Amino acid sequence: MNGQNRKDILPGVAVDIVLKKDQKTGKLTRGIVKDILTKSSTHPHGIKVRLTNGQIGRIQEIHFK
């Protein structure tokens, strides 16, 4: 899943995000969702989340176990 729909994201899910500083390179950071920061139901660049380690970025891919 590409992380553009808020309904697909729950706290505790493993995701790949792109941090603000990595947007030009597209480097992904993997982590676990702590908080969902985007209020709208969809976002074309990915839903913004805070990971359990405090990093904030937009979801590029969701990993289900």
Side-chain angles (χ1 to χ4, degrees):
M1 293 190 169
N2 61 14
Q4 293 180 347
N5 296 312
R6 194 174 193 277
K7 65 178 175 58
D8 297 333
I9 302 158
L10 296 170
V13 172
V15 295
D16 287 337
I17 66 168
V18 63
L19 302 172
K20 182 78 168 177
K21 67 177 183 162
D22 296 329
Q23 283 179 343
K24 289 187 181 196
T25 64
K27 179 181 175 236
L28 299 177
T29 302
R30 185 163 292 184
I32 305 297
V33 175
K34 179 179 179 185
D35 301 308
I36 301 170
L37 303 177
T38 299
K39 299 299 181 197
S40 64
S41 60
T42 63
H43 193 283
H45 301 292
I47 300 297
K48 188 180 279 189
V49 296
R50 178 181 294 118
L51 301 181
T52 54
N53 63 9
Q55 293 179 304
I56 295 174
R58 295 198 180 272
I59 295 180
Q60 301 302 301
E61 191 165 336
I62 302 170
H63 300 283
F64 293 103
K65 295 184 182 190

